Amino acid sequence: MVSFDKLQMLTFSVLILIIVAESHRKVLVEDNGRELERLLNYVNRPAIKSFQTELGDILDCIDINKQLAFDHPMLRTHSVQLRPTNTSKWAINRNNSKNGGSVPFGQDGIRCPLGTVVVKRTTYEDVIQAHRLKSMGSKYSRYVSSKGNNIDLTGYHFAVGEFKYDNYGGKANLSIWEPEVSPTQISSASMLVATGNYEHFQSIRAGWIVYQWLNKNHSRLFTYWTADGFIKTGCFNTLCPGFVQVSTKIPLGYLFNQVSTYGGKQYEIKISIFQDSKTGDWWLVVFDENVGYWPKSLFTEDGLVHGASLISYGGEVYSPVKEKSPHMGSGHFPIEGYLRAAYVNGIEVADEIDGKLSKPPISTVNPLSTTPNCYKAETKSDSKVPYDAIFYGGPGGCTL
């Protein structure tokens, strides 16, 4: 059994290995495959049953009590919560967009046995993206903490709307896109809840992400969390202990089989991230399915234990220096509006711990773009989109 501290060192060693291999093509990852294999063998728990999807993903049904989450030192005696205690207020789906279609989850023939949960098997590509996402999250947290002063954002670009008020989570619909990216780039959109500054920055993020897998671009469900500004903690999906999976239908990393098209049908992912009023755990709900939660014990008293102070919605991209940055969202600026630009709508916020939801005035959401010549964010009312919306995105092409 690999300890939690050793897992952190192992993960760090593998990421350094990947960085070296990417910057020096003569260094082959295969030569050091043992460390990577050890990490993957540890992260991927023994499956009671497995399925392979048409696009090559392997979905494992694992014992709910033997998932990686419980290797975290704060969770070794944790009892699984199968559902939030204040489900009713969050289960009422009042923010369905009449213009955006929901993406159906599930694969024919995939049914996990009782007492198990479904988890996407972690791959080499997932480990690479974990490093890039940690860097992206670290850049954003430092940018927010310093109010944008003296932060090197080389290669990282954000176009978001920020709600900077005390809260206990929220709901939103994010239009799903599948922008083209190179093997070294990522493009994503998400909702983030956060609080704190610098090393006390704590956040939970969920949305869709596109990176190359098997030489193809695919949009996938993803999450990322940290409890210390990405210094020691920071985890992509289920690559490290922390997130407790309870769903037998929706695994983190799941591939969306329907995405929006420019000028055509719009598809959305409906996401809720909220704090349970009794347990203090932070739940992830996707399409009204309780996917899982981040236990309260992962966070601190001066952090997400007592709610959040920021919710951010919108897009992020990463691209290496000197390589033109990829599309964000649809690849078109917000000015083009519905059917052509990416959006977030149906925004609701829990401003009390009891989970009661309210719709904040769009004027309380502040647009932010770090490179407005390539990507923009705007808040506006569009009669074609139910509720006020954040439109974001752009064609990219930045080389800084």
Side-chain angles (χ1 to χ4, degrees), residues 340-375:
R340 294 171 176 79
Y343 63 86
V344 181
N345 77 339
I347 295 171
E348 296 185 69
V349 172
D351 44 24
E352 299 291 341
I353 188 62
D354 63 2
K356 185 177 180 180
L357 297 169
S358 64
K359 297 176 183 177
I362 199 65
S363 60
T364 61
V365 180
N366 299 314
L368 165 69
S369 176
T370 55
T371 45
N373 57 318
C374 295
Y375 312 102

Side-chain angles (χ1 to χ4, degrees), residues 26-253:
K26 293 182 180 179
V27 179
L28 299 179
V29 175
E30 288 81 356
D31 293 342
N32 298 278
R34 293 180 182 176
E35 290 298 299
L36 179 59
E37 185 177 358
R38 280 184 63 204
L39 175 63
L40 294 179
N41 286 340
Y42 175 69
V43 170
N44 293 315
R45 294 306 164 97
I48 294 174
K49 195 172 184 179
S50 297
F51 305 87
Q52 185 165 13
T53 68
E54 293 180 358
L55 292 173
D57 284 350
I58 297 178
L59 304 181
D60 291 327
C61 300
I62 63 174
D63 188 320
I64 191 172
N65 294 305
K66 294 182 179 179
Q67 55 185 296
L68 183 63
F70 301 122
D71 279 15
H72 193 288
M74 301 300 295
L75 302 181
R76 285 173 183 158
T77 59
H78 180 79
S79 296
V80 177
Q81 308 298 307
L82 296 179
R83 61 187 61 83
T85 61
N86 52 341
T87 301
S88 59
K89 294 178 182 178
W90 288 89
I92 301 173
N93 197 349
R94 301 177 301 173
N95 65 349
N96 273 330
S97 173
K98 296 177 183 177
N99 296 71
S102 296
V103 176
F105 271 92
Q107 296 268 343
D108 291 340
I110 295 181
R111 298 289 185 275
C112 282
L114 186 65
T116 67
V117 293
V118 63
V119 176
K120 176 186 171 296
R121 190 174 300 179
T122 300
T123 65
Y124 166 75
E125 288 84 0
D126 294 328
V127 177
I128 294 176
Q129 301 316 316
H131 165 69
R132 292 177 183 148
L133 283 170
K134 183 172 184 177
S135 297
M136 179 178 285
S138 176
K139 294 284 186 179
Y140 182 73
S141 68
R142 282 183 284 165
Y143 185 88
V144 171
S145 299
S146 67
K147 298 181 180 179
N149 297 323
N150 302 317
I151 298 298
D152 180 14
L153 292 176
T154 302
Y156 298 88
H157 310 274
F158 312 97
V160 299
E162 296 181 329
F163 178 82
K164 291 187 175 182
Y165 298 90
D166 290 345
N167 66 86
Y168 297 89
K171 301 176 75 170
N173 307 319
L174 286 72
S175 61
I176 306 171
W177 295 85
E178 205 164 68
E180 289 287 331
V181 295
S182 76
T184 56
Q185 297 175 328
I186 61 175
S187 184
S188 67
S190 63
M191 180 174 79
L192 171 144
V193 296
T195 194
N197 295 309
Y198 303 102
E199 69 272 14
H200 300 293
F201 185 82
Q202 301 191 356
S203 66
I204 296 171
R205 178 190 302 269
W208 59 260
I209 184 170
V210 174
Y211 58 87
Q212 280 204 5
W213 186 74
L214 296 179
N215 299 314
K216 294 181 181 180
N217 290 307
H218 295 300
S219 187
R220 297 177 177 276
L221 173 67
F222 88 102
T223 65
Y224 209 101
W225 69 276
T226 183
D228 61 0
F230 301 89
I231 296 173
K232 290 184 179 179
T233 66
C235 189
F236 170 58
N237 290 352
T238 53
L239 189 59
C240 73
F243 181 78
V244 179
Q245 176 82 16
V246 300
S247 175
T248 60
K249 299 177 182 178
I250 303 178
L252 302 184

